[in-house]
Amino acid sequence: MRNVMWKGQLHGNIHLDTIANKKNLYGLGPVEYLSGEVLIIDGKSYRSEVVSDTAMKVEETYDLKAPFFGYANIARWSERTLPASIQTLQQLEQYLDKETKDSPRPFMFKLAGVVEQGTIHVVNLPKGSKVSSPGEAHKGQVNYQVKNKPSEIIGFFSTEHKAIFTHHDTYLHMHLITADRQKMGHLDEVLFKKGTMKLYLPIK
């Protein structure tokens, strides 16, 4: 992420179709040249791109390149209901940190349930742009609202990867996709509907 944001290395470093084992595959990252977002969930790969300030296009495809990408094959999950008191990203981060102190890190996780309110973004850098700061990297980015939508979220948790695979002020990098597959993007803000969210942690 640092190389993309500060050094302008926007080209694809991985072609997603070259990931040989797609069974139980989960992953997330941006599309090369910051022209969209990518989410792999249970072996299916989705790309989102900006159509307008209110519309996006989501399609299922592995024919994609990404400048950085995190992924894992996870065959077995431990499921629990997320406590009703955990509603925001900050609360989720603290909860995950506390609950996984004795587990292997970093790890990917999954959430499923109703998002009462959320903000996701899709990067949409104008073609030919040069990037040398996070502000420039997010030029053209469009934010979209998610309201009362059953959704799935794939996330990456690490205390060691700030500015590498999470932003400099968080342990989390999360992408959300609505259950109807009409919206997908990087999750910036969320309010989970109390009592509806299931949290899935990988069983190593």
Side-chain angles (χ1 to χ4, degrees):
M1 190 182 281
R2 188 185 290 124
N3 289 347
V4 170
M5 302 278 188
W6 294 102
K7 297 181 182 175
Q9 294 175 10
L10 309 177
H11 57 276
N13 279 310
I14 178 172
H15 191 294
L16 266 54
D17 210 29
T18 62
I19 301 172
N21 183 5
K22 296 185 176 69
K23 193 176 179 191
N24 304 313
L25 185 64
Y26 297 84
L28 66 166
V31 181
E32 65 179 342
Y33 301 107
L34 303 183
S35 58
E37 304 286 345
V38 188
L39 174 64
I40 299 179
I41 184 165
D42 197 19
K44 291 187 171 180
S45 173
Y46 297 91
R47 170 177 65 196
S48 61
E49 56 188 54
V50 170
V51 173
S52 71
D53 283 351
T54 53
M56 71 168 75
K57 177 183 173 190
V58 179
E59 64 175 336
E60 192 181 327
T61 178
Y62 266 101
D63 189 15
L64 288 169
K65 290 180 183 174
F68 65 91
F69 199 74
Y71 64 94
N73 297 87
I74 303 168
R76 296 189 309 135
W77 298 93
S78 152
E79 179 193 311
R80 65 177 81 178
T81 299
L82 195 67
S85 59
I86 310 299
Q87 282 195 283
T88 67
L89 292 183
Q90 291 75 16
Q91 290 166 344
L92 177 67
E93 180 175 80
Q94 289 166 3
Y95 178 75
L96 285 173
D97 193 23
K98 184 165 73 71
E99 292 291 310
T100 62
K101 281 273 189 255
D102 301 322
S103 306
R105 294 173 168 187
F107 60 88
M108 296 194 82
F109 62 93
K110 182 168 69 163
L111 287 159
V114 179
V115 167
E116 197 167 298
Q117 204 163 330
T119 303
I120 58 176
H121 77 244
V122 177
V123 287
N124 184 39
L125 194 67
K127 277 192 173 69
S129 297
K130 298 278 187 264
V131 166
S132 59
S133 72
E136 290 175 3
H138 289 97
K139 196 173 160 188
Q141 167 186 307
V142 177
N143 296 334
Y144 298 90
Q145 300 307 307
V146 177
K147 288 195 175 174
N148 290 313
K149 284 277 190 186
S151 302
E152 291 172 275
I153 295 162
I154 297 299
F156 174 83
F157 177 95
S158 178
T159 57
E160 306 292 322
H161 288 80
K162 285 186 174 178
I164 297 169
F165 200 65
T166 69
H167 286 289
H168 65 91
D169 56 355
T170 178
Y171 295 154
L172 298 174
H173 185 156
M174 301 164 68
H175 284 197
L176 173 149
I177 189 165
T178 54
D180 61 12
R181 302 305 193 242
Q182 295 301 298
K183 284 184 176 176
M184 185 273 281
H186 179 106
L187 185 60
D188 291 317
E189 285 179 47
V190 75
L191 191 66
F192 299 128
K193 189 163 186 181
K194 283 186 176 180
T196 72
M197 297 304 295
K198 299 278 190 207
L199 170 65
Y200 300 84
L201 295 173
I203 297 173
K204 299 289 184 190

